Amino acid sequence: MDPVLVAISLAALGGAAYLFSRSAHVVIVLGLGAVGLVSGGTAWQAARIEARLTEAVQQLTGRDDVRVDCRNLLQDVTNSRPGEVAYDADGNGSVAELSWSVCNDIDGWMGDGSGDPSLDEATAVHVLTHEAMHLAGYRNEQETECEAVQRDAATAVLLGADPATARLLAERYVRELYPRMPGDYRHEHCVEGGPWDRTPGDGQWPGGLPLPLVPGS
């Protein structure tokens, strides 16, 4: 659970209780109470989303030592990246950090029963898959992106989508967003039947990969 939001919530609620005991103006008490409740609710929501996304990433990577963290809105002000993995001195990563908007878009899509995804929702699911591939061991962005587009359908299923909807999400990303990615994220090998097609000849692009989806599997 986000320690910053928890601290704000506890401080605000504690302040409201103290001022109430001192017969402070009701507007101030109610204002602090509202801040505390909103902060606490946001922290709880983030923890719930993180647990769901962590479970999916662990299944995608075959690793039970990885997790997903969702940044809060304040952290997003200073970090505009939709997702990233920090590596230690040995080149290992165990935490995928996602922006609040990415986490919120995924949560909204799951909350709607994982129905037909909007472009933002398809992008958010893909960001999760992309960072999962980094946790699985891929470092080169072009290869990581290509591995991710072939696993977006699997990610969507892990998040609760039916196979048809999951395939629709993966196809939408490849059709509408992948061609617009910067050159250091795209590669001519990442096409159906190309050198980076993990299941050539199966008539499925992208997708068709089994779980767990670890490098070399």
Side-chain angles (χ1 to χ4, degrees), residues 6-19 29 32-38 40:
V6 171
I8 292 173
S9 177
L10 293 176
L13 291 174
Y18 172 77
L19 291 175
V29 173
L32 281 175
V35 170
L37 291 174
V38 170

Side-chain angles (χ1 to χ4, degrees), residues 65 96 127 129 143 149 171 175 178 191 216:
D65 62 334
V127 170
T129 313
E143 187 177 8
V149 300
E171 290 174 344
R175 182 178 64 251
Y178 181 73
V191 293

